[in-house]
Amino acid sequence: MKALQAFAAVMRSGSFTLAAAELHVSAGAIGQQIQKLEAMLGYPLFQRSTRQIWATAAAQTYWQQLQPILQQLQALHQASPHTDTVRMTLPPSFASRWLAPRLEHLARQHPHIRLHLHTSIQPMDLVQEGFDLAIRYFTGEDEGLESQLLCPDEVRVFCSPSYQQQLSLRQVDDLSRATLYATPLQPYWAAWFDRFSTLTPQHVQAIPQIHVDQGVIAIEACSRGQGQGMLMISPVLVADELASGRLIEPFPCRLPLNHGYHVVHRPQQLSTAARTVKAWLLAEAQQPTG
């Protein structure tokens, strides 16, 4: 959120210095947050010179997409004497790809709730960090937490239609000509090939692989333009790309997983607001996509 706030301030003011003054931080801190966001997205947001900066075309597109989300968050955070606060932590990719498009629904249905979001690749300690709820990607088994399945998962692979056509990907073994993208949550390329391919393990190991710690980076790389490779990722994170046709599933080859996205919390009485948010999450997960 700090990185998004810095980016928004720079886009509004056109200056790192003015953005720093708006947020009461140093210009160097603004620069660091912008670099973090660029690393997460996988592309530059600003062209820099000694005295000026220019937003890239990608930054302008991202800004247009981000403004409605920031407006929704602002509505959630507006102070009210009847406001109830809920703190929740969740993976960055799930936050941006699944939760963000649904925040308007929460604001409209429960305007009194004040939701504070924290994203982290690593699971956070709910007790020490003071979180009411969390969304975690795991088996759902933790003796210290109450867990309820939000979104099940399975191993599936995707690519752009242009990439499939360019490499003539008609069967799984044709992926020997491809580039594979892997993320920490789904590092199952070897198991997937072992199940559905006749390639030897040595041939599979020889296929180029790119490992990224943020699913959004892999999604951008594989869905933009003609695409840059094959993507192995949770289908709930690419629902928009599948609906628009930017990504397709070239092979109906799927491995079941015992992992999925779960809503978790400490085994104690939840506040009314936290119970409301949990129930809202579970209801949203039941809504059809697209």
Side-chain angles (χ1 to χ4, degrees):
M1 290 305 301
K2 289 182 179 179
L4 292 179
Q5 289 173 348
F7 173 70
V10 174
M11 292 299 293
R12 285 193 298 265
S13 65
S15 163
F16 280 26
T17 301
L18 294 177
E22 176 184 332
L23 298 179
H24 305 288
V25 298
S26 67
I30 293 292
Q32 290 177 0
Q33 293 298 333
I34 295 299
Q35 289 177 0
K36 289 181 180 179
L37 187 58
E38 288 175 332
M40 185 189 77
L41 295 174
Y43 52 80
L45 295 170
F46 297 98
Q47 299 286 342
R48 300 165 175 83
S49 69
T50 304
R51 296 184 179 180
Q52 288 183 300
I53 61 168
W54 298 271
T56 64
Q60 296 287 356
T61 300
Y62 189 63
W63 176 232
Q64 292 176 1
Q65 298 171 343
L66 185 63
Q67 288 184 77
I69 297 173
L70 292 177
Q71 291 171 1
Q72 294 162 19
L73 288 175
Q74 184 178 9
L76 287 173
H77 283 255
Q78 285 178 344
S80 166
H82 304 293
T83 292
D84 292 311
T85 299
V86 177
R87 300 187 70 237
M88 183 169 70
T89 177
L90 67 166
S93 296
F94 194 82
S96 63
R97 305 295 301 183
W98 189 89
L99 181 61
R102 293 169 167 82
L103 285 175
E104 182 182 4
H105 301 170
L106 178 63
R108 187 169 58 248
Q109 297 171 27
H110 306 287
H112 64 286
I113 290 179
R114 208 174 166 191
L115 182 62
H116 291 248
L117 299 177
H118 176 276
T119 61
S120 174
I121 298 175
Q122 299 298 326
M124 303 295 293
D125 188 303
L126 302 190
V127 176
Q128 292 185 2
E129 301 295 336
F131 289 108
D132 302 293
L133 297 170
I135 295 176
R136 289 186 178 174
Y137 185 83
F138 73 135
T139 62
E141 298 177 359
D142 189 320
E143 294 181 356
L145 295 172
E146 291 189 18
S147 174
Q148 192 163 351
L149 181 63
L150 183 65
C151 298
D153 202 14
E154 60 185 352
V155 176
R156 296 167 59 175
V157 299
F158 310 96
C159 68
S160 72
S162 297
Y163 194 78
Q164 182 191 33
Q165 183 178 7
Q166 177 186 349
L167 272 65
S168 299
L169 303 177
R170 297 183 175 86
Q171 55 186 4
V172 171
D173 287 358
D174 293 336
L175 293 185
S176 60
R177 302 189 291 271
T179 298
L180 312 179
Y181 276 76
T183 65
L185 295 185
Q186 286 215 357
Y188 304 117
W189 276 113
W192 189 84
F193 275 107
D194 184 61
R195 174 75 173 272
F196 300 112
S197 170
T198 62
L199 295 174
T200 66
Q202 292 75 19
H203 283 140
V204 172
Q205 291 177 3
I207 302 174
Q209 285 198 28
I210 297 178
H211 297 260
V212 296
D213 64 355
Q214 295 279 354
V216 291
I217 299 176
I219 294 169
E220 281 293 316
C222 294
S223 65
R224 273 182 169 268
Q226 294 186 344
Q228 300 179 22
M230 297 296 304
L231 175 66
M232 177 177 285
I233 202 164
S234 300
V236 296
L237 302 184
V238 291
D240 288 346
E241 284 75 14
L242 291 172
S244 66
R246 291 175 60 195
L247 286 177
I248 60 173
E249 188 175 11
F251 314 112
C253 304
R254 304 173 181 180
L255 279 179
L257 287 176
N258 61 355
H259 280 57
Y261 291 95
H262 293 74
V263 184
V264 304
H265 56 84
R266 290 166 287 175
Q268 63 183 38
Q269 184 71 23
L270 288 175
S271 68
T272 300
R275 287 200 307 271
T276 299
V277 172
K278 177 182 177 181
W280 174 81
L281 288 167
L282 294 169
E284 284 291 319
Q286 297 301 314
Q287 297 297 319
T289 59

